[in-house]
Amino acid sequence: MSLSSVPRSLRPNQASPSAGPPAGSPVVELNVGGELYTTTMGTLRKLPGTKLAEMFSSSAKPCMDAEGRFFIDRPGTYFGPILDYLRSERLPTHHIPEVYREAQFYAIKPLVKLLEDTPQIFGEQVARKQFLLRVPGYSENLELMVRLARAEAMAARRSPVLVCAVRTEEDAAHCADALRILEAEKRSVVKFGPWKAAPQVKDLLDCVKMDITAQGYQVYYEPYSGRTLRAKYFSYFYTFVFIWW
């Protein structure tokens, strides 16, 4: 079905023509991931170059649901703030990260830029993310921690994973002997660092906990206090504990 055929959902509201949309901007009904919205074609096409404007261009082949509404296979909960911005340039006040993700999908660049200036997105994209990009192998280490924890989960309520965090090259050299001792004992250690950025070891550990928790795991960390190592090494080693039940 092409837009030029004017399905039921595109016909102007004829119950009260004096209050209807202006000519050339018919009312449309949308089904966005199961959430229903009513707006105008003019609103959807308001910003040329966006994915919404492209979806509802005259040459597009829209996807329709069983009731003849336009269907968009995206989370419907966060489409409302997208419409509010297109209607009145009003910025969302809730679910900022989720709306930001949807604004990126729909390629609404002015909204994306405005959201990037909010504390939530600025802190994540500019501060935290840029720090983690300076930590070598960060994502790979997270995956390794999860694999180690799951390997230790058989018939256990908790899985400890030993982590070494060194901020500087000097710290890395200082704890090299400790790592050799643990390796000789066949202890698995996930090593983070060194990194060239201002955040301290605790900031790194908090990021690790945050990102593992975001994957759905329940985890906490505590300083390592095993008998294998001397006390002088304890500030470099931490135990992350995964809780399964």
Side-chain angles (χ1 to χ4, degrees), residues 187-229:
R187 293 287 305 275
S188 296
V189 182
V190 181
K191 179 174 173 291
F192 289 89
W195 58 85
K196 294 181 179 180
Q200 302 297 310
V201 166
K202 185 180 185 306
D203 300 316
L204 181 279
L205 299 174
D206 287 343
C207 286
V208 171
K209 180 179 183 298
M210 183 186 307
D211 289 331
I212 291 178
T213 300
Q215 297 181 40
Y217 295 97
Q218 185 177 354
V219 66
Y220 67 89
Y221 68 87
E222 59 189 8
Y224 176 75
S225 57
R227 297 178 180 178
T228 299
L229 301 179

Side-chain angles (χ1 to χ4, degrees), residues 80-96:
I82 297 291
L83 277 183
D84 285 343
Y85 176 76
L86 292 174
R87 288 165 173 157
S88 60
E89 299 186 357
R90 186 172 68 180
L91 290 179
T93 56
H94 298 89
H95 306 294
I96 301 297

Side-chain angles (χ1 to χ4, degrees), residues 34-51:
E35 299 278 345
L36 303 182
Y37 292 92
T38 301
T39 186
T40 68
M41 187 62 70
T43 296
L44 296 170
R45 294 174 175 171
K46 183 176 182 179
L47 296 178
T50 66
K51 188 168 290 189

Side-chain angles (χ1 to χ4, degrees), residues 82-117:
I82 297 291
L83 277 183
D84 285 343
Y85 176 76
L86 292 174
R87 288 165 173 157
S88 60
E89 299 186 357
R90 186 172 68 180
L91 290 179
T93 56
H94 298 89
H95 306 294
I96 301 297
E98 293 81 5
V99 177
Y100 176 69
R101 183 173 60 244
E102 294 307 296
Q104 288 180 309
F105 172 79
Y106 293 115
I108 305 175
K109 293 181 181 179
L111 178 56
V112 168
K113 182 172 178 55
L114 288 170
L115 291 174
E116 286 177 344
D117 287 335

Side-chain angles (χ1 to χ4, degrees), residues 124 126-139 142 192 195 197 199 203-208 210-211:
E124 175 65 25
V126 177
R128 197 176 86 93
K129 186 175 181 179
Q130 291 302 313
F131 159 54
L132 295 179
L133 288 174
R134 289 166 169 77
V135 180
Y138 179 79
S139 297
L142 291 186
F192 289 89
W195 58 85
D203 300 316
L204 181 279
L205 299 174
D206 287 343
C207 286
V208 171
M210 183 186 307
D211 289 331

